[in-house]
């Protein structure tokens, strides 16, 4: 019997998009279910009772939570399919997970504050965001992707932020490209991949969404 794969997701989510991209990189058919995060479905609450957050991948009735855990699961389950996402070497795998952890702390925290705050707090967040991106840029070096010649685990983690770059720049009134030109070149390369084009929303829609949320946060 064919696998049943359902993804509980929310369209502008930098986390949900990671699962979408991984599934498409692997060519896995899945059913996308949009969640209303202000009125979560009973299925989301049942499948992720701990965090009650998207994304949740439901594979043959069993949930997998936390976006990069989902990406790793997809890579392991559909390992016979094309495009390995994590390297096979244990040391390289550990390094990939190290950088994803860096992204989920040092990139996530300031990125979140850029659209949800203003004034001094926002200025500090912009500085920390650029500092984190510069560290990533030096890790990228002159490789096309963090995964070397292949789009991989770290690239997927970052694509959630790449798709928010324009919204971050507009909310924070700053520019990322002059500070991190090689990272930006890699971001553009990632955003052109078929798996990504088919997974990310129109950047204008994200900008609109970010400003709407800013108003709700009374910024
Ligand atoms: C974060 C998921 C998350 O924040 C991951 O999957 O990597 N560490 C997790 N999901 C948000 C939507 S995107 O901002 C969410 O589901 N929020 C609902 C809530 O907080 O109630």
């Amino acid at each position: 019997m064919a696998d049943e794969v359902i993804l509980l997701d929310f369209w502008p989510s930098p986390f949900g998009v990671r699962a979408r991209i991984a599934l498409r990189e692997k060519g896995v058919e899945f059913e996308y279910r949009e969640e209303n995060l202000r009125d979560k479905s009973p299925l989301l609450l049942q499948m992720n009772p701990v965090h009650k957050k998207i994304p949740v991948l439901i594979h043959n009735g069993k949930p997998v939570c936390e976006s990069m855990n989902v990406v790793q699961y997809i890579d392991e389950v559909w390992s016979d399919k094309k495009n390995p996402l994590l390297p096979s070497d244990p040391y390289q795998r550990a390094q990939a997970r190290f950088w994803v952890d860096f992204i989920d702390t040092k990139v996530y925290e300031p990125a979140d504050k850029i659209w949800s705050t203003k004034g001094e707090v926002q200025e500090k967040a912009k500085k920390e965001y650029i500092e984190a991106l510069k560290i990533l840029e030096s890790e990228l070096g002159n490789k096309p992707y963090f995964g070397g010649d292949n789009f991989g685990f770290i690239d997927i983690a970052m694509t959630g932020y790449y798709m928010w770059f324009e919204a971050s720049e507009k909310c924070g009134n700053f520019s990322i490209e002059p500070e991190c030109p090689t990272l930006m070149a890699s971001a553009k390369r990632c955003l052109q991949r078929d798996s990504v084009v088919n997974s990310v929303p129109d950047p204008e829609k994200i900008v609109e969404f970010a400003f709407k949320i800013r108003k709700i946060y009374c910024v």
Side-chain angles (χ1 to χ4, degrees), residues 198-216:
N198 292 324
S199 301
V200 305
D202 174 358
E204 277 309 307
K205 275 187 69 186
I206 300 185
V207 171
E208 216 176 278
F209 173 79
F211 278 94
K212 207 168 98 193
I213 298 286
R214 264 177 92 69
K215 263 200 192 142
I216 297 170

Side-chain angles (χ1 to χ4, degrees), residues 13-15 18 37 40 52-55 66-67:
S13 169
F15 305 106
R18 294 166 164 180
L37 296 180
K40 295 172 186 169
K52 305 176 179 64
K53 290 186 177 187
I54 61 88
E66 286 295 309
S67 59

Side-chain angles (χ1 to χ4, degrees), residues 10 12-16 18 37-38 40 44 48 51-56 65-70 104 108 112 115:
F10 176 52
S13 169
F15 305 106
R18 294 166 164 180
L37 296 180
R38 291 167 174 232
K40 295 172 186 169
L44 174 59
N48 191 356
H51 295 302
K52 305 176 179 64
K53 290 186 177 187
I54 61 88
V56 180
C65 303
E66 286 295 309
S67 59
M68 293 312 289
N69 188 40
V70 170
D104 278 346
Y108 168 74
D112 199 48
W115 62 262

Side-chain angles (χ1 to χ4, degrees), residues 1 16 35 37 41-42 45 64 71 73 90 106 111 131 143 149 152 155 160-161 168 170 172-173 189 195 197:
M1 224 176 62
E35 278 289 329
L37 296 180
S41 72
L45 300 177
V64 184
V71 173
Y73 177 80
K106 299 291 183 191
E131 266 167 27
K143 302 189 289 284
D149 287 331
D155 302 290
Y161 294 96
S168 302
K170 289 196 170 145
N173 192 23
R189 204 169 288 126
S195 65
V197 171

Side-chain angles (χ1 to χ4, degrees), residues 139-182:
E139 168 58 20
L140 176 69
N142 54 15
K143 302 189 289 284
Y145 297 109
F146 284 99
D149 287 331
N150 302 314
F151 175 80
F153 200 59
I154 308 173
D155 302 290
I156 291 182
M158 275 308 286
T159 301
Y161 294 96
Y162 297 154
M163 84 177 196
W164 269 78
F165 268 1
E166 196 174 321
S168 302
E169 289 177 326
K170 289 196 170 145
C171 290
N173 192 23
F174 72 125
S175 198
I176 297 167
E177 188 156 16
E179 304 279 356
C180 304
T182 22

